[in-house]
Amino acid sequence: MKKYYGRKQEINQIINMLSENKFNSLAITGPRQVGKTTLVKQVIDEIKQNNDYYNLEIDYMYFFGNCEMSSKDNISTSYYKLNQTISQIEEKYNFKLDVIKKQKKPTKWIDFFMIIIKLITQLNKYYPTINKNKQHKIILFLDEIAWFSKHKNFIIEFGQILNEYLVDMDNVLLVVSSSYSSWVKELVMSEKKSKLFYGRIKKEIFLKPFSLDEVLEYYQNKHNINITKEMLINYYLAFGGWLKYYENIDFSDNEENNFNRLIHKEDQKRNNILENEREILYRNMLNKPIHKDLLFLLCKHKTLSRNDIFELNLPEYIKKYEHEKIEKKYKHKGEEIELDEKRANALQMEIYNALVELKDMYFITEGRIRTEYEYSIYHPFVYFCHYWLETYKKKNFSQSFNTWKGNALEIATLMHIDTICKKANIENNHFILNLLIKERSNGKIDSQIDIAVVENNTIRPTKQNPLRITIFEIKNYSSKYFMSDDDVIDIFDKCDKLKKMKLYKTDNIYINAKIITINGSKHKSDIEMRYDIQHLSIIDNNLF
């Protein structure tokens, strides 16, 4: 039996839903490859391992949507999977089901779902005759539900099946999952946009990547080796909480050898391992050329405003691709007046839509300075692949490693900004990665703040209730960081300049600073503390 780690709270939540004598439904969301499918398998294994305790018998019906397939091909693949599921159930209980024999191969989703309904109905007739002491439950799992079909008919037809049949089946747990956050929220859980589904999906579980402590526990248990957070932290900056990426790491070897092996390692077909893993991550997700180009730009710059992205020159083939597409669109309508302006506006809309999609897929995140939106790379493994595959040219490894680590530490901090703000008692309203302070006279960059967090303020700021801004300075040191007087003065200088920028058109601003390091920091100084400075350690304060 495969042994899993973590997700105990989520497992208990799902088992509690299965234990209820009624139809239940669940949406599981989260980044790609974070473990949404594995979570359901963990639940089934947990019940099997403690069968006497839970007193549940589970039959599992699993179907996966593939966005690279047409709706028709997805129906065909799902039907093939259904045949396999029926064979497994027949073997398990040693009886024959005739639900498929009487059916034609479905060409519409409504027909496919009706076969499932007939299968469940037939199983419910058999259940009282077998394992009478067990409570029989069926998990119907539609994995990556957004990818089954691009047509609205899929949702409409499945909604009809849900409302007319499934809700009355008290031994069914319906599970849907998606790597697109907005798709589930808008089409499945929104009252305005989904009358068929609203109120039917009873619970949503958002799966976060594993924390540093969880990854540490997983590998200490799995490999039975004595590793520490300090040994793991640089790998966590590369792979985050995605366990599968750690499989190529030999913890008994040093970091340089491990990273070099990973960067240059090839599989049996002489394909680069790192390139393969990136392609697997992108598969079914980045289905537009512009997706990858925007990720490339954001990995290169870390943060860009929407206007910066519009003004940057995207690769020529993308411009050509988009222009041809838009030109055909307008020529088809017979409109050739102001074609260039329309083309530019349409391209900006394409870019904006692609940014929204990347954010929904958890590859990037969105910050804000007043009304100006900023987009930042958010996925540690995406940045790791970009840096070592696109930027690193076998230069001095130590120098390249330190450059990557400094940037990766900022990205990891941003990814955990909600946890960090909670521990520091900060109300995170919106944030900015790499806030640039520019000279008013010539627009040149004067200094940079690693991360600035603006706290929510619903009323007009006053001296008694000012707008609160916290700046985070992230220091890339393996050992304890001791701040000098010059370091303190530099932070005060940034706070002064930030006040003068008047980002929010008010003089009633309270600014403080947080110093984030891996192993902690401190300073002893006789300098008057004009701004509060707090020291936070990733290791000691469990920030990741």
Side-chain angles (χ1 to χ4, degrees), residues 198-357:
Y198 182 70
R200 295 302 191 189
I201 304 297
K202 303 297 182 183
K203 189 175 188 63
E204 180 183 6
I205 291 178
F206 175 75
L207 276 194
K208 293 181 179 180
F210 286 107
S211 68
L212 180 60
D213 279 342
E214 287 172 325
V215 175
L216 180 69
E217 179 188 355
Y218 178 84
Y219 277 93
Q220 282 177 335
N221 282 284
K222 181 177 179 180
H223 297 285
N224 197 27
I225 56 175
N226 186 24
I227 58 173
T228 63
K229 283 186 184 180
E230 288 80 2
M231 293 170 63
L232 190 62
I233 184 65
N234 288 336
Y235 299 119
Y236 192 82
L237 295 180
F239 312 133
W242 285 262
L243 293 177
K244 67 167 292 185
Y245 300 131
Y246 293 81
E247 292 172 2
N248 292 301
I249 298 301
D250 178 3
F251 288 106
S252 64
D253 203 350
N254 63 49
E255 289 172 346
E256 181 172 350
N257 288 339
N258 271 317
F259 279 118
N260 269 315
R261 268 197 305 272
L262 185 58
I263 294 162
H264 303 297
K265 187 177 180 181
E266 296 179 343
D267 62 15
Q268 293 178 348
K269 297 180 180 179
R270 300 190 66 80
N271 295 318
N272 182 274
I273 295 290
L274 197 58
E275 189 74 65
N276 283 351
E277 289 293 350
R278 179 168 65 173
E279 192 57 37
I280 291 169
L281 177 64
Y282 288 174
R283 192 178 299 155
N284 292 340
M285 299 287 280
L286 309 186
N287 50 14
K288 297 177 183 177
I290 202 167
H291 282 147
K292 291 183 181 179
D293 282 280
L294 287 171
L295 279 182
F296 183 91
L297 283 175
L298 288 169
C299 282
K300 182 179 178 181
H301 297 277
K302 287 189 294 186
T303 294
L304 289 170
S305 71
R306 193 182 297 173
N307 288 334
D308 289 337
I309 294 170
F310 290 159
E311 291 171 7
L312 280 171
N313 289 322
L314 288 168
E316 288 303 317
Y317 83 94
I318 285 294
K319 282 192 170 184
K320 184 174 183 294
Y321 168 83
E322 296 295 344
H323 286 190
E324 285 179 350
K325 178 181 173 183
I326 294 158
E327 194 169 0
K328 284 179 183 176
K329 178 180 174 182
Y330 286 116
K331 280 189 175 179
H332 178 68
K333 293 182 178 180
E335 297 181 39
E336 296 189 30
I337 301 171
E338 297 181 347
L339 181 62
D340 289 340
E341 182 181 346
K342 286 183 178 180
R343 196 159 55 193
N345 290 339
L347 179 58
Q348 286 195 1
M349 184 55 67
E350 288 281 343
I351 293 171
Y352 172 70
N353 288 338
L355 287 167
V356 171
E357 288 161 358

Side-chain angles (χ1 to χ4, degrees), residues 55-263:
N55 199 36
L56 294 170
E57 187 69 46
I58 305 297
D59 286 317
Y60 185 40
M61 301 178 187
Y62 173 80
F63 307 97
F64 176 77
N66 188 332
C67 75
E68 292 182 344
M69 290 184 180
S70 65
S71 180
K72 184 178 179 181
D73 288 340
N74 267 311
I75 293 173
S76 181
T77 303
S78 298
Y79 183 68
Y80 174 76
K81 182 67 177 174
L82 180 59
N83 274 278
Q84 287 184 318
T85 302
I86 290 172
S87 296
Q88 290 165 1
I89 292 173
E90 287 177 334
E91 184 179 350
K92 176 181 176 180
Y93 294 118
N94 193 26
F95 57 59
K96 289 292 181 181
L97 296 162
D98 59 1
V99 65
I100 293 290
K101 292 178 182 177
K102 297 178 181 179
Q103 295 287 150
K104 292 181 179 179
K105 186 176 179 180
T107 57
K108 297 179 180 178
W109 283 111
I110 190 75
D111 297 329
F112 171 75
F113 290 129
M114 277 307 302
I115 298 173
I116 292 178
I117 294 301
K118 289 176 181 178
L119 172 60
I120 295 172
T121 303
Q122 197 170 71
L123 282 172
N124 283 336
K125 290 179 180 178
Y126 277 106
Y127 284 152
T129 66
I130 48 177
N131 293 343
K132 294 180 181 180
N133 296 327
K134 296 290 183 184
Q135 190 178 6
H136 287 269
K137 290 288 183 173
I138 294 168
I139 297 177
L140 174 59
F141 187 7
L142 301 184
D143 198 0
E144 296 296 355
I145 189 173
W147 297 347
F148 278 97
S149 176
K150 296 181 177 71
H151 303 295
K152 290 183 179 178
N153 284 351
F154 170 78
I155 284 297
I156 293 171
E157 291 174 4
F158 182 62
Q160 289 173 348
I161 292 293
L162 173 62
N163 286 288
E164 292 179 22
Y165 297 98
L166 285 175
V167 293
D168 295 323
M169 294 178 164
D170 57 14
N171 66 332
V172 173
L173 171 64
L174 169 66
V175 182
V176 299
S177 82
S178 180
S179 299
Y180 287 86
S181 60
S182 63
W183 197 94
V184 170
K185 284 183 172 64
E186 290 182 12
L187 292 183
V188 176
M189 305 193 76
S190 168
E191 182 177 9
K192 291 181 179 179
K193 296 194 176 183
S194 182
K195 294 179 181 178
L196 287 169
F197 277 89
Y198 182 70
R200 295 302 191 189
I201 304 297
K202 303 297 182 183
K203 189 175 188 63
E204 180 183 6
I205 291 178
F206 175 75
L207 276 194
K208 293 181 179 180
F210 286 107
S211 68
L212 180 60
D213 279 342
E214 287 172 325
V215 175
L216 180 69
E217 179 188 355
Y218 178 84
Y219 277 93
Q220 282 177 335
N221 282 284
K222 181 177 179 180
H223 297 285
N224 197 27
I225 56 175
N226 186 24
I227 58 173
T228 63
K229 283 186 184 180
E230 288 80 2
M231 293 170 63
L232 190 62
I233 184 65
N234 288 336
Y235 299 119
Y236 192 82
L237 295 180
F239 312 133
W242 285 262
L243 293 177
K244 67 167 292 185
Y245 300 131
Y246 293 81
E247 292 172 2
N248 292 301
I249 298 301
D250 178 3
F251 288 106
S252 64
D253 203 350
N254 63 49
E255 289 172 346
E256 181 172 350
N257 288 339
N258 271 317
F259 279 118
N260 269 315
R261 268 197 305 272
L262 185 58
I263 294 162

Side-chain angles (χ1 to χ4, degrees), residues 370 429-430 453-470 499 502-512:
R370 283 190 298 192
N429 181 31
H430 52 268
V453 172
V454 181
E455 292 191 57
N456 190 20
N457 196 302
T458 55
I459 60 174
R460 189 179 183 86
T462 63
K463 287 184 178 180
Q464 291 75 26
N465 190 13
L467 185 72
R468 301 175 69 88
I469 300 177
T470 302
K499 262 191 173 180
K502 292 190 176 180
L503 291 175
Y504 295 90
K505 297 181 179 180
T506 179
D507 292 325
N508 299 313
I509 296 177
Y510 169 79
I511 299 177
N512 68 104

